[in-house]
Amino acid sequence: MRIISKKKIRDYVRENSQAKLPLVEWYFKMKEVNAIDISDLKKVFNSVDAVYGYTIFNIGGNNYRLITAIHYNKQVCYIRDIWTHSQYSKNYNQLKLQKGKL
């Protein structure tokens, strides 16, 4: 699968160095995926969920949320944002997800 954009991962890791290994592992694993839907992704990734039209990966032992928009027909994964678990739990971020503001 094609991933757009790796820059979001690089920028996040610059500020959160402990996230580097799990995000890089996700990146290389995701590049090899040829999923037709979320059930295919669940065969590869233990913690992935569809939430308000986004595909959200739990990364690094549930410490981070990688929020993506995946177009399975085109095999493209757009990284929308990366949050910590606590950021993901905030009401205002949940509203952003619900309203599709990422």
Side-chain angles (χ1 to χ4, degrees):
M1 187 165 301
R2 184 168 173 222
I3 301 167
I4 301 173
S5 122
K6 190 175 181 182
K7 182 181 184 309
K8 287 212 184 224
I9 292 174
R10 282 194 308 264
D11 291 347
Y12 190 80
V13 166
R14 217 174 272 128
E15 300 294 321
N16 303 279
S17 60
Q18 70 282 4
K20 183 176 183 174
L21 182 62
L23 287 171
V24 169
E25 286 176 351
W26 173 87
Y27 179 83
F28 285 108
K29 198 184 271 189
M30 191 66 175
K31 278 182 63 167
E32 300 301 317
V33 167
N34 188 12
I36 60 169
D37 57 24
I38 194 157
S39 63
D40 273 356
L41 279 181
K42 287 185 180 207
K43 294 173 188 172
V44 178
F45 297 97
N46 294 333
S47 297
V48 60
D49 295 296
V51 179
Y52 302 116
Y54 295 102
T55 303
I56 300 180
F57 296 85
N58 295 332
I59 304 288
N62 214 19
N63 291 317
Y64 307 99
R65 298 292 188 277
L66 180 64
I67 302 151
T68 66
I70 298 178
H71 296 254
Y72 294 100
N73 59 335
K74 297 178 183 175
Q75 291 295 294
V76 178
C77 173
Y78 296 92
I79 298 174
R80 307 306 300 151
D81 216 333
I82 304 168
W83 292 338
T84 63
H85 177 74
S86 62
Q87 288 172 314
Y88 179 79
S89 299
K90 303 270 185 197
N91 286 336
Y92 60 85
N93 282 333
Q94 289 299 310
L95 285 172
K96 283 183 189 177
L97 286 173
Q98 288 176 4
K99 293 179 180 182
K101 299 282 186 181
L102 296 177

